[in-house]
């Protein structure tokens, strides 16, 4: 269902303000989308109540396109997000639509592509063939003008293809792979560890504040802005940091 135009505009504005980029992990609270996804779930598997799915792009109607690690796609409203974990965008060189059309003309089909035929793009998800090779790549060009009138898939350079085949997995982006049909419902790698660490930081902060250990409280506040490990928390609480 499409949003009213003013709602769609507000959703796009909020998405921009939130700084969403492809492959950010969004915690989903849309019960219909989660239920629809479960139809492809293997018998006996337990689905997360509020799974993390990969952000792909914002549609013209303001809905957010999201995908599970195995490639199931759905569209959710921005108010159905309850948490955001910034991801690591994967940038590739993808052939522009204009270059692709030109290269399919008979007089150019035997010519090798040039660097000018490609432009930087966000990788959204990939299809693999039965041999585990990348069959096609879905991209979103960084220059929004290049996305007008384009198809979902664009050829990427051979160098990018070889690099990705060696490095990517479903903890990084959605991968549709006919040889691996396990229904991975949530992109939640590292979530439990991060949640436990945040809880530990909060508990230590409250304890030190109530005990009026001001130097410890200050150290925890400063450290929380940086990378903080459980070992570091213990050192601070023990007065060794």
């Amino acid at each position: 269902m499409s949003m009213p135009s003013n709602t769609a505009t507000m959703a796009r504005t909020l998405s921009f303000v939130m700084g969403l980029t492809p492959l950010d992990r969004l915690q989903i609270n849309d019960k219909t989308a989660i239920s629809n996804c479960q139809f492809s779930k293997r018998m006996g598997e337990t689905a997360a109540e509020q799974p993390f799915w990969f952000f792909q792009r914002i549609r013209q109607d303001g809905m957010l396109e999201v995908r599970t690690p195995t490639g199931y796609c759905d569209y959710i409203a921005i108010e159905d997000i309850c948490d955001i974990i910034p991801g690591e965008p994967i940038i590739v060189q993808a052939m522009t639509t204009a270059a692709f059309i030109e290269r399919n003309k008979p007089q150019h089909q035997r010519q090798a592509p040039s660097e000018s035929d490609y432009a930087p793009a966000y990788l959204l998800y990939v299809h693999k063939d039965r041999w585990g090779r990348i069959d096609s790549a879905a991209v979103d060009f960084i220059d929004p003008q290049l996305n007008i009138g384009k198809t979902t898939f664009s050829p990427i350079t051979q160098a990018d293809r070889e690099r990705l085949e060696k490095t990517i997995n479903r903890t990084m982006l959605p991968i549709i792979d006919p040889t691996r049909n396990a229904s991975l419902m949530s992109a939640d790698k590292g979530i439990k560890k991060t949640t436990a660490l945040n809880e530990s930081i909060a508990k230590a902060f409250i304890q030190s504040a109530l005990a009026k250990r001001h130097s410890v409280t200050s150290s925890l506040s400063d450290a929380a802005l940086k990378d903080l490990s459980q070992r570091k928390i213990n050192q601070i609480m023990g007065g060794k940091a």
Side-chain angles (χ1 to χ4, degrees):
M1 181 181 295
S2 297
M3 293 183 176
S5 58
N6 58 335
T7 306
T9 300
M10 187 185 347
R12 287 195 294 272
T13 301
L14 282 172
S15 300
F16 177 78
V17 170
M18 293 162 71
L20 294 179
T21 56
L23 305 186
D24 284 347
R25 290 183 287 170
L26 309 183
Q27 190 171 30
I28 309 300
N29 195 32
D30 185 321
K31 301 304 181 185
T32 300
I34 295 171
S35 177
N36 290 340
C37 179
Q38 290 179 3
F39 282 113
S40 63
K41 183 171 67 69
R42 281 185 174 182
M43 187 73 82
E45 289 186 349
T46 302
E49 291 186 3
Q50 294 178 323
F52 284 86
W53 291 354
F54 290 105
F55 171 67
Q56 300 281 274
R57 64 185 182 92
I58 307 170
R59 301 199 313 181
Q60 286 299 313
D61 61 3
M63 298 291 279
L64 307 185
E65 181 180 311
V66 291
R67 285 184 184 270
T68 67
T70 49
Y72 170 80
C73 179
D74 215 322
Y75 308 98
I76 63 170
I78 196 166
E79 59 264 29
D80 288 323
I81 298 173
C82 49
D83 197 5
I84 301 172
I85 299 179
E88 289 291 336
I90 299 176
I91 309 297
V92 296
Q93 293 294 316
M95 186 175 291
T96 65
T97 302
F100 182 78
I101 293 173
E102 186 65 26
R103 294 201 56 77
N104 274 278
K105 294 179 179 178
Q107 65 268 33
H108 298 307
Q109 287 182 352
R110 293 176 180 244
Q111 297 176 358
S114 64
E115 289 187 10
S116 63
D117 291 330
Y118 297 89
Y122 292 111
L123 184 65
L124 302 180
Y125 66 98
V126 301
H127 278 272
K128 285 192 173 183
D129 61 23
R130 58 179 178 171
W131 296 283
R133 300 173 304 197
I134 294 177
D135 183 56
S136 54
V139 304
D140 196 46
F141 287 102
I142 294 177
D143 180 352
Q145 292 299 314
L146 295 177
N147 294 314
I148 298 174
K150 70 176 285 293
T151 58
T152 300
F153 300 100
S154 297
I156 60 176
T157 64
Q158 184 62 28
D160 277 332
R161 187 181 297 272
E162 292 175 358
R163 170 177 62 90
L164 294 170
E165 286 177 351
K166 294 177 182 177
T167 58
I168 60 172
N169 57 56
R170 284 173 170 166
T171 67
M172 302 165 63
L173 80 163
I175 299 177
I176 301 173
D177 186 345
T179 67
R180 299 182 62 195
N181 291 321
S183 191
L184 188 59
M185 288 282 293
S186 181
D188 56 7
K189 182 181 180 182
I191 300 298
K192 290 182 180 179
K193 181 178 179 180
T194 301
T195 300
L197 185 58
N198 289 337
E199 290 175 352
S200 183
I201 294 171
K203 182 178 179 180
F205 184 87
I206 292 171
Q207 287 178 346
S208 63
L210 291 175
K212 298 183 178 180
R213 299 175 65 189
H214 302 303
S215 62
V216 173
T217 304
S218 177
S219 295
L220 286 169
S221 298
D222 292 340
L225 299 175
K226 308 172 184 177
D227 291 332
L228 190 63
S229 64
Q230 185 63 54
R231 181 181 178 184
K232 184 67 174 178
I233 295 173
N234 295 338
Q235 289 176 341
I236 292 173
M237 293 299 288
K240 298 178 181 179

